[in-house]
Amino acid sequence: MAVQWALICHGLITLIVVVSFLCGQWPIFQGTPISSIHRFITFGAYQYFLKFVGAVFGDKGTNSILSVEYYCCDRPNPILQSSALSLIIYLAILGSTYCIIVKTSFQYIPGYYLSGVHRYTSLLAVAIGILLFLLTSFSDPGTVTVDNVSQYLSVYPYDNVIYTKKECTTCKLPKPARSKHCSICNRCVARFDHHCGWMNNCIGERNTRYFLAFLLWHFLLCMYATVGIGLVLAGRLKELKIVYILTVYYGVENSFRSLAPHIVQWLLGSYNTQILLMVFLAIVSLLLAGFFAYHAKLCLTNTTTNETFKWQDYISWQKKLHEARASSAALKASINGMNGERKPRENKCKSFFRRSPLENTEAVVKSNVYDKGLLHNLYEVIFPVRLRASNSHTKSKSG
């Protein structure tokens, strides 16, 4: 029984740690233990480690750790930031998981619920996942060059709010709207979304479609594996006649409430590796579903992750500007009040100053000029600028 409880505790702790690390900063978790665990994992643990190193080895030890951090995380690094290393890590995770499934579950396929074809479809599904990783990781995200900069400038006009006409100081090229210079890749990327560390590539105008396909396919792949292992275990339950044995030989009542604890105990005792795999894959599939849903929403509204942060910064700045003006108006009203003009001006100022932050930012409207409707937005993601240009060129020739 101790082993079963240890496995359950292990699964719960893994779930809490993964959710805390990836989702702890979400507003819904503010002020909860999930948020505290997130702060400890992402910031607190490292700070305590630095203090420990400083106490034991002094400033030299702390400076050594900080220089290693800078080398690994804060500057372009040809060793750690290589697509080949990303591919090796990805293949190691995917390959080890698949090998464990093959070793523990394929001996029961074909079984009561699964036919032998799943031995081959699972391999095909993994191969498609690898192909999508290669397309996302090694494809051009939409590098802005001398040859295509004019095309990007015409396709993405400046909105003069978060994007204004300027030149990239590094590339020495006009900077199209929605583009950004990636310091890691050292290039300007059109319709820049983010730099993906897992892929070691930017996600931009030309490979967003591959990235979305990668997220969706791996979500389905994890769900396929989870359901497949579940059906294997259900088949073993049926083939070994566990319910029959429990009810006939052990006198357990033939009801879900009575049978469930005994069946769970049997599964944890006989197939603990498969249970752990199911829990792990279910958690990963939920996280992938969340990431896919977030990026799908961005694509359907023709927004990028980079633009989301830009708008947040702009609205926050406008809010502070309104608050500063309100404070200035309040100060002026109090000064004027000393000269006998206090009441009319003060009332006017108070009515403005008492408005909520949301009301103070009413003038700041997030106007996305690039949102041209759901279907057109989806079309832009599936068919990048180069493909759209070649299609229109072909049509004009045929016309």
Side-chain angles (χ1 to χ4, degrees), residues 156 178 191 204-213 295-296 298-304 374-385 387-388:
Y156 299 122
R178 315 192 77 185
R191 199 182 180 276
E205 194 264 338
R206 291 182 63 178
N207 66 350
T208 298
R209 51 185 177 159
Y210 300 140
F211 180 67
L212 280 172
H295 283 283
L298 290 180
C299 290
L300 293 175
T301 55
N302 213 332
T303 312
T304 64
L374 189 143
L375 292 177
H376 192 278
N377 296 340
L378 193 60
Y379 174 76
E380 282 193 13
V381 172
I382 297 173
F383 300 99
V385 170
L387 289 178
R388 297 203 299 271

mmCIF file of all heavy atoms in Angstrom, residues 156 178 191 204-213 295-296 298-304 374-385 387-388:
data_model
loop_
_atom_site.group_PDB
_atom_site.id
_atom_site.type_symbol
_atom_site.label_atom_id
_atom_site.label_comp_id
_atom_site.label_asym_id
_atom_site.label_seq_id
_atom_site.Cartn_x
_atom_site.Cartn_y
_atom_site.Cartn_z
ATOM 1 N N TYR A 156 2.378 45.488 -44.180
ATOM 2 C CA TYR A 156 2.083 45.852 -42.787
ATOM 3 C C TYR A 156 2.302 47.351 -42.584
ATOM 4 O O TYR A 156 3.422 47.801 -42.337
ATOM 5 C CB TYR A 156 2.978 45.064 -41.820
ATOM 6 C CG TYR A 156 2.797 43.568 -41.911
ATOM 7 C CD1 TYR A 156 3.877 42.737 -42.208
ATOM 8 C CD2 TYR A 156 1.556 42.984 -41.694
ATOM 9 C CE1 TYR A 156 3.719 41.353 -42.291
ATOM 10 C CE2 TYR A 156 1.390 41.608 -41.778
ATOM 11 C CZ TYR A 156 2.479 40.795 -42.073
ATOM 12 O OH TYR A 156 2.306 39.445 -42.153
ATOM 13 N N ARG A 178 5.239 45.537 -37.086
ATOM 14 C CA ARG A 178 5.051 44.184 -36.566
ATOM 15 C C ARG A 178 6.345 43.373 -36.538
ATOM 16 O O ARG A 178 6.336 42.215 -36.100
ATOM 17 C CB ARG A 178 3.980 43.412 -37.353
ATOM 18 C CG ARG A 178 2.723 44.192 -37.651
ATOM 19 C CD ARG A 178 1.610 43.317 -38.157
ATOM 20 N NE ARG A 178 1.004 42.569 -37.056
ATOM 21 C CZ ARG A 178 0.060 41.652 -37.207
ATOM 22 N NH1 ARG A 178 -0.367 41.346 -38.412
ATOM 23 N NH2 ARG A 178 -0.445 41.025 -36.169
ATOM 24 N N ARG A 191 6.453 40.156 -38.617
ATOM 25 C CA ARG A 191 5.323 39.691 -37.800
ATOM 26 C C ARG A 191 5.840 38.819 -36.639
ATOM 27 O O ARG A 191 5.387 37.701 -36.405
ATOM 28 C CB ARG A 191 4.316 38.898 -38.637
ATOM 29 C CG ARG A 191 2.934 38.776 -38.003
ATOM 30 C CD ARG A 191 1.999 37.943 -38.866
ATOM 31 N NE ARG A 191 0.685 37.818 -38.259
ATOM 32 C CZ ARG A 191 0.375 36.904 -37.329
ATOM 33 N NH1 ARG A 191 1.286 36.055 -36.904
ATOM 34 N NH2 ARG A 191 -0.839 36.860 -36.816
ATOM 35 N N GLY A 204 7.618 33.589 -36.383
ATOM 36 C CA GLY A 204 7.277 34.815 -37.097
ATOM 37 C C GLY A 204 6.317 34.574 -38.243
ATOM 38 O O GLY A 204 5.572 33.590 -38.275
ATOM 39 N N GLU A 205 6.379 35.469 -39.209
ATOM 40 C CA GLU A 205 5.395 35.510 -40.292
ATOM 41 C C GLU A 205 5.354 34.230 -41.116
ATOM 42 O O GLU A 205 4.292 33.794 -41.544
ATOM 43 C CB GLU A 205 5.732 36.716 -41.184
ATOM 44 C CG GLU A 205 4.623 37.092 -42.159
ATOM 45 C CD GLU A 205 4.843 36.477 -43.535
ATOM 46 O OE1 GLU A 205 5.997 36.131 -43.851
ATOM 47 O OE2 GLU A 205 3.864 36.345 -44.285
ATOM 48 N N ARG A 206 6.497 33.577 -41.285
ATOM 49 C CA ARG A 206 6.546 32.438 -42.204
ATOM 50 C C ARG A 206 6.436 31.068 -41.534
ATOM 51 O O ARG A 206 6.208 30.068 -42.223
ATOM 52 C CB ARG A 206 7.841 32.505 -43.032
ATOM 53 C CG ARG A 206 7.834 33.667 -44.023
ATOM 54 C CD ARG A 206 9.081 33.686 -44.862
ATOM 55 N NE ARG A 206 9.210 32.492 -45.688
ATOM 56 C CZ ARG A 206 10.205 32.284 -46.544
ATOM 57 N NH1 ARG A 206 11.152 33.203 -46.678
ATOM 58 N NH2 ARG A 206 10.267 31.186 -47.247
ATOM 59 N N ASN A 207 6.619 30.990 -40.208
ATOM 60 C CA ASN A 207 6.546 29.669 -39.576
ATOM 61 C C ASN A 207 5.544 29.573 -38.433
ATOM 62 O O ASN A 207 5.535 28.588 -37.706
ATOM 63 C CB ASN A 207 7.936 29.223 -39.090
ATOM 64 C CG ASN A 207 8.470 30.089 -37.961
ATOM 65 O OD1 ASN A 207 7.909 31.144 -37.651
ATOM 66 N ND2 ASN A 207 9.556 29.656 -37.351
ATOM 67 N N THR A 208 4.675 30.596 -38.282
ATOM 68 C CA THR A 208 3.620 30.511 -37.266
ATOM 69 C C THR A 208 2.696 29.331 -37.540
ATOM 70 O O THR A 208 2.241 28.646 -36.623
ATOM 71 C CB THR A 208 2.801 31.822 -37.222
ATOM 72 O OG1 THR A 208 3.666 32.894 -36.859
ATOM 73 C CG2 THR A 208 1.670 31.736 -36.210
ATOM 74 N N ARG A 209 2.421 29.064 -38.794
ATOM 75 C CA ARG A 209 1.534 27.945 -39.173
ATOM 76 C C ARG A 209 2.128 26.606 -38.728
ATOM 77 O O ARG A 209 1.411 25.727 -38.248
ATOM 78 C CB ARG A 209 1.291 27.951 -40.689
ATOM 79 C CG ARG A 209 2.569 28.022 -41.498
ATOM 80 C CD ARG A 209 2.330 28.155 -42.980
ATOM 81 N NE ARG A 209 3.596 28.301 -43.689
ATOM 82 C CZ ARG A 209 3.755 28.047 -44.974
ATOM 83 N NH1 ARG A 209 2.719 27.627 -45.683
ATOM 84 N NH2 ARG A 209 4.918 28.209 -45.548
ATOM 85 N N TYR A 210 3.458 26.459 -38.884
ATOM 86 C CA TYR A 210 4.108 25.222 -38.441
ATOM 87 C C TYR A 210 4.080 25.100 -36.920
ATOM 88 O O TYR A 210 3.902 24.005 -36.385
ATOM 89 C CB TYR A 210 5.565 25.182 -38.928
ATOM 90 C CG TYR A 210 5.723 25.232 -40.425
ATOM 91 C CD1 TYR A 210 6.741 25.980 -41.020
ATOM 92 C CD2 TYR A 210 4.872 24.518 -41.267
ATOM 93 C CE1 TYR A 210 6.900 26.018 -42.397
ATOM 94 C CE2 TYR A 210 5.021 24.555 -42.643
ATOM 95 C CZ TYR A 210 6.033 25.310 -43.197
ATOM 96 O OH TYR A 210 6.177 25.346 -44.574
ATOM 97 N N PHE A 211 4.272 26.223 -36.248
ATOM 98 C CA PHE A 211 4.270 26.222 -34.781
ATOM 99 C C PHE A 211 2.896 25.828 -34.246
ATOM 100 O O PHE A 211 2.785 25.019 -33.313
ATOM 101 C CB PHE A 211 4.664 27.614 -34.275
ATOM 102 C CG PHE A 211 4.698 27.732 -32.776
ATOM 103 C CD1 PHE A 211 5.649 27.048 -32.032
ATOM 104 C CD2 PHE A 211 3.774 28.532 -32.111
ATOM 105 C CE1 PHE A 211 5.682 27.157 -30.640
ATOM 106 C CE2 PHE A 211 3.809 28.644 -30.730
ATOM 107 C CZ PHE A 211 4.763 27.959 -29.995
ATOM 108 N N LEU A 212 1.839 26.383 -34.834
ATOM 109 C CA LEU A 212 0.479 26.018 -34.420
ATOM 110 C C LEU A 212 0.195 24.544 -34.688
ATOM 111 O O LEU A 212 -0.402 23.851 -33.854
ATOM 112 C CB LEU A 212 -0.542 26.887 -35.164
ATOM 113 C CG LEU A 212 -0.772 28.296 -34.622
ATOM 114 C CD1 LEU A 212 -1.656 29.079 -35.590
ATOM 115 C CD2 LEU A 212 -1.404 28.263 -33.247
ATOM 116 N N ALA A 213 0.633 24.066 -35.859
ATOM 117 C CA ALA A 213 0.441 22.650 -36.191
ATOM 118 C C ALA A 213 1.215 21.765 -35.214
ATOM 119 O O ALA A 213 0.724 20.695 -34.813
ATOM 120 C CB ALA A 213 0.894 22.386 -37.626
ATOM 121 N N HIS A 295 -2.433 30.742 -28.620
ATOM 122 C CA HIS A 295 -1.868 31.191 -29.897
ATOM 123 C C HIS A 295 -2.908 31.163 -31.022
ATOM 124 O O HIS A 295 -2.838 31.989 -31.940
ATOM 125 C CB HIS A 295 -0.664 30.326 -30.259
ATOM 126 C CG HIS A 295 0.567 30.680 -29.493
ATOM 127 N ND1 HIS A 295 1.340 31.783 -29.788
ATOM 128 C CD2 HIS A 295 1.156 30.100 -28.411
ATOM 129 C CE1 HIS A 295 2.347 31.858 -28.946
ATOM 130 N NE2 HIS A 295 2.266 30.853 -28.099
ATOM 131 N N ALA A 296 -3.855 30.242 -30.941
ATOM 132 C CA ALA A 296 -4.926 30.233 -31.940
ATOM 133 C C ALA A 296 -5.773 31.499 -31.819
ATOM 134 O O ALA A 296 -6.154 32.102 -32.834
ATOM 135 C CB ALA A 296 -5.801 28.992 -31.752
ATOM 136 N N LEU A 298 -4.721 34.380 -30.708
ATOM 137 C CA LEU A 298 -3.918 35.479 -31.249
ATOM 138 C C LEU A 298 -3.993 35.508 -32.773
ATOM 139 O O LEU A 298 -4.152 36.577 -33.376
ATOM 140 C CB LEU A 298 -2.456 35.315 -30.817
ATOM 141 C CG LEU A 298 -2.128 35.546 -29.340
ATOM 142 C CD1 LEU A 298 -0.639 35.331 -29.092
ATOM 143 C CD2 LEU A 298 -2.527 36.935 -28.888
ATOM 144 N N CYS A 299 -3.895 34.336 -33.393
ATOM 145 C CA CYS A 299 -3.917 34.271 -34.859
ATOM 146 C C CYS A 299 -5.276 34.681 -35.423
ATOM 147 O O CYS A 299 -5.349 35.366 -36.445
ATOM 148 C CB CYS A 299 -3.564 32.859 -35.322
ATOM 149 S SG CYS A 299 -1.830 32.434 -35.043
ATOM 150 N N LEU A 300 -6.341 34.266 -34.756
ATOM 151 C CA LEU A 300 -7.684 34.581 -35.249
ATOM 152 C C LEU A 300 -8.022 36.059 -35.101
ATOM 153 O O LEU A 300 -8.918 36.561 -35.778
ATOM 154 C CB LEU A 300 -8.725 33.729 -34.514
ATOM 155 C CG LEU A 300 -8.659 32.218 -34.817
ATOM 156 C CD1 LEU A 300 -9.662 31.462 -33.950
ATOM 157 C CD2 LEU A 300 -8.921 31.944 -36.291
ATOM 158 N N THR A 301 -7.300 36.756 -34.205
ATOM 159 C CA THR A 301 -7.492 38.209 -34.060
ATOM 160 C C THR A 301 -6.338 38.981 -34.700
ATOM 161 O O THR A 301 -6.247 40.196 -34.551
ATOM 162 C CB THR A 301 -7.601 38.596 -32.572
ATOM 163 O OG1 THR A 301 -6.439 38.111 -31.869
ATOM 164 C CG2 THR A 301 -8.843 38.012 -31.942
ATOM 165 N N ASN A 302 -5.451 38.255 -35.407
ATOM 166 C CA ASN A 302 -4.297 38.849 -36.086
ATOM 167 C C ASN A 302 -3.454 39.690 -35.118
ATOM 168 O O ASN A 302 -3.126 40.847 -35.383
ATOM 169 C CB ASN A 302 -4.726 39.690 -37.280
ATOM 170 C CG ASN A 302 -3.688 39.632 -38.388
ATOM 171 O OD1 ASN A 302 -2.508 39.441 -38.134
ATOM 172 N ND2 ASN A 302 -4.154 39.796 -39.629
ATOM 173 N N THR A 303 -3.112 39.081 -34.009
ATOM 174 C CA THR A 303 -2.254 39.701 -32.999
ATOM 175 C C THR A 303 -1.098 38.752 -32.723
ATOM 176 O O THR A 303 -1.201 37.559 -32.971
ATOM 177 C CB THR A 303 -3.040 39.954 -31.697
ATOM 178 O OG1 THR A 303 -4.275 40.589 -32.017
ATOM 179 C CG2 THR A 303 -2.281 40.856 -30.749
ATOM 180 N N THR A 304 -0.013 39.290 -32.198
ATOM 181 C CA THR A 304 1.126 38.467 -31.814
ATOM 182 C C THR A 304 1.381 38.611 -30.316
ATOM 183 O O THR A 304 0.884 39.545 -29.682
ATOM 184 C CB THR A 304 2.394 38.868 -32.580
ATOM 185 O OG1 THR A 304 2.755 40.211 -32.207
ATOM 186 C CG2 THR A 304 2.172 38.796 -34.079
ATOM 187 N N LEU A 374 -12.002 37.104 -39.121
ATOM 188 C CA LEU A 374 -11.506 35.783 -38.763
ATOM 189 C C LEU A 374 -10.932 35.027 -39.954
ATOM 190 O O LEU A 374 -9.812 34.506 -39.889
ATOM 191 C CB LEU A 374 -12.639 34.987 -38.113
ATOM 192 C CG LEU A 374 -12.272 33.655 -37.464
ATOM 193 C CD1 LEU A 374 -13.091 33.442 -36.207
ATOM 194 C CD2 LEU A 374 -12.516 32.501 -38.417
ATOM 195 N N LEU A 375 -11.665 34.963 -41.041
ATOM 196 C CA LEU A 375 -11.229 34.168 -42.199
ATOM 197 C C LEU A 375 -9.974 34.756 -42.839
ATOM 198 O O LEU A 375 -9.043 34.022 -43.192
ATOM 199 C CB LEU A 375 -12.356 34.071 -43.227
ATOM 200 C CG LEU A 375 -13.577 33.242 -42.803
ATOM 201 C CD1 LEU A 375 -14.649 33.276 -43.875
ATOM 202 C CD2 LEU A 375 -13.166 31.791 -42.520
ATOM 203 N N HIS A 376 -9.943 36.079 -42.974
ATOM 204 C CA HIS A 376 -8.774 36.722 -43.579
ATOM 205 C C HIS A 376 -7.556 36.575 -42.666
ATOM 206 O O HIS A 376 -6.423 36.367 -43.152
ATOM 207 C CB HIS A 376 -9.059 38.209 -43.846
ATOM 208 C CG HIS A 376 -8.024 38.858 -44.718
ATOM 209 N ND1 HIS A 376 -6.817 39.322 -44.221
ATOM 210 C CD2 HIS A 376 -7.990 39.100 -46.055
ATOM 211 C CE1 HIS A 376 -6.113 39.847 -45.199
ATOM 212 N NE2 HIS A 376 -6.799 39.714 -46.330
ATOM 213 N N ASN A 377 -7.762 36.671 -41.364
ATOM 214 C CA ASN A 377 -6.650 36.501 -40.422
ATOM 215 C C ASN A 377 -6.067 35.093 -40.511
ATOM 216 O O ASN A 377 -4.846 34.911 -40.496
ATOM 217 C CB ASN A 377 -7.120 36.770 -38.991
ATOM 218 C CG ASN A 377 -7.565 38.203 -38.778
ATOM 219 O OD1 ASN A 377 -7.196 39.091 -39.543
ATOM 220 N ND2 ASN A 377 -8.359 38.432 -37.756
ATOM 221 N N LEU A 378 -6.955 34.112 -40.602
ATOM 222 C CA LEU A 378 -6.513 32.720 -40.731
ATOM 223 C C LEU A 378 -5.779 32.509 -42.057
ATOM 224 O O LEU A 378 -4.766 31.797 -42.111
ATOM 225 C CB LEU A 378 -7.727 31.797 -40.642
ATOM 226 C CG LEU A 378 -7.468 30.300 -40.444
ATOM 227 C CD1 LEU A 378 -6.708 30.052 -39.149
ATOM 228 C CD2 LEU A 378 -8.768 29.522 -40.446
ATOM 229 N N TYR A 379 -6.270 33.155 -43.094
ATOM 230 C CA TYR A 379 -5.642 33.060 -44.419
ATOM 231 C C TYR A 379 -4.205 33.606 -44.380
ATOM 232 O O TYR A 379 -3.294 33.036 -44.982
ATOM 233 C CB TYR A 379 -6.482 33.844 -45.429
ATOM 234 C CG TYR A 379 -5.877 33.953 -46.806
ATOM 235 C CD1 TYR A 379 -5.906 32.874 -47.681
ATOM 236 C CD2 TYR A 379 -5.280 35.131 -47.235
ATOM 237 C CE1 TYR A 379 -5.344 32.970 -48.954
ATOM 238 C CE2 TYR A 379 -4.715 35.242 -48.492
ATOM 239 C CZ TYR A 379 -4.758 34.162 -49.346
ATOM 240 O OH TYR A 379 -4.197 34.259 -50.599
ATOM 241 N N GLU A 380 -3.997 34.707 -43.643
ATOM 242 C CA GLU A 380 -2.664 35.307 -43.539
ATOM 243 C C GLU A 380 -1.683 34.390 -42.824
ATOM 244 O O GLU A 380 -0.490 34.384 -43.138
ATOM 245 C CB GLU A 380 -2.739 36.649 -42.798
ATOM 246 C CG GLU A 380 -3.240 37.785 -43.645
ATOM 247 C CD GLU A 380 -3.016 39.137 -42.993
ATOM 248 O OE1 GLU A 380 -2.259 39.211 -41.997
ATOM 249 O OE2 GLU A 380 -3.601 40.117 -43.466
ATOM 250 N N VAL A 381 -2.183 33.622 -41.840
ATOM 251 C CA VAL A 381 -1.307 32.712 -41.106
ATOM 252 C C VAL A 381 -0.930 31.508 -41.965
ATOM 253 O O VAL A 381 0.228 31.096 -42.016
ATOM 254 C CB VAL A 381 -1.985 32.240 -39.797
ATOM 255 C CG1 VAL A 381 -1.166 31.144 -39.113
ATOM 256 C CG2 VAL A 381 -2.162 33.408 -38.841
ATOM 257 N N ILE A 382 -1.920 30.956 -42.660
ATOM 258 C CA ILE A 382 -1.676 29.751 -43.472
ATOM 259 C C ILE A 382 -0.850 30.073 -44.707
ATOM 260 O O ILE A 382 0.016 29.296 -45.114
ATOM 261 C CB ILE A 382 -3.018 29.104 -43.873
ATOM 262 C CG1 ILE A 382 -3.782 28.646 -42.616
ATOM 263 C CG2 ILE A 382 -2.794 27.916 -44.805
ATOM 264 C CD1 ILE A 382 -5.180 28.154 -42.896
ATOM 265 N N PHE A 383 -1.092 31.246 -45.296
ATOM 266 C CA PHE A 383 -0.370 31.649 -46.506
ATOM 267 C C PHE A 383 0.447 32.906 -46.217
ATOM 268 O O PHE A 383 -0.102 34.013 -46.221
ATOM 269 C CB PHE A 383 -1.346 31.906 -47.659
ATOM 270 C CG PHE A 383 -2.171 30.707 -48.041
ATOM 271 C CD1 PHE A 383 -3.477 30.564 -47.585
ATOM 272 C CD2 PHE A 383 -1.627 29.716 -48.839
ATOM 273 C CE1 PHE A 383 -4.231 29.454 -47.925
ATOM 274 C CE2 PHE A 383 -2.370 28.607 -49.186
ATOM 275 C CZ PHE A 383 -3.671 28.473 -48.726
ATOM 276 N N PRO A 384 1.747 32.756 -45.945
ATOM 277 C CA PRO A 384 2.600 33.919 -45.683
ATOM 278 C C PRO A 384 2.674 34.870 -46.876
ATOM 279 O O PRO A 384 2.183 34.564 -47.964
ATOM 280 C CB PRO A 384 3.967 33.293 -45.381
ATOM 281 C CG PRO A 384 3.685 31.879 -45.021
ATOM 282 C CD PRO A 384 2.472 31.491 -45.802
ATOM 283 N N VAL A 385 3.333 35.994 -46.684
ATOM 284 C CA VAL A 385 3.385 37.058 -47.695
ATOM 285 C C VAL A 385 3.932 36.548 -49.021
ATOM 286 O O VAL A 385 3.387 36.837 -50.081
ATOM 287 C CB VAL A 385 4.254 38.233 -47.183
ATOM 288 C CG1 VAL A 385 4.527 39.223 -48.301
ATOM 289 C CG2 VAL A 385 3.557 38.922 -46.019
ATOM 290 N N LEU A 387 3.913 33.517 -50.307
ATOM 291 C CA LEU A 387 2.948 32.662 -51.003
ATOM 292 C C LEU A 387 1.787 33.479 -51.554
ATOM 293 O O LEU A 387 1.309 33.223 -52.660
ATOM 294 C CB LEU A 387 2.425 31.583 -50.061
ATOM 295 C CG LEU A 387 3.411 30.472 -49.680
ATOM 296 C CD1 LEU A 387 2.753 29.512 -48.706
ATOM 297 C CD2 LEU A 387 3.855 29.715 -50.927
ATOM 298 N N ARG A 388 1.346 34.468 -50.771
ATOM 299 C CA ARG A 388 0.239 35.314 -51.247
ATOM 300 C C ARG A 388 0.669 36.098 -52.478
ATOM 301 O O ARG A 388 -0.101 36.272 -53.426
ATOM 302 C CB ARG A 388 -0.209 36.276 -50.143
ATOM 303 C CG ARG A 388 -0.771 35.582 -48.926
ATOM 304 C CD ARG A 388 -1.679 36.500 -48.141
ATOM 305 N NE ARG A 388 -1.004 37.684 -47.633
ATOM 306 C CZ ARG A 388 -0.392 37.766 -46.456
ATOM 307 N NH1 ARG A 388 -0.320 36.691 -45.669
ATOM 308 N NH2 ARG A 388 0.155 38.873 -46.045
#
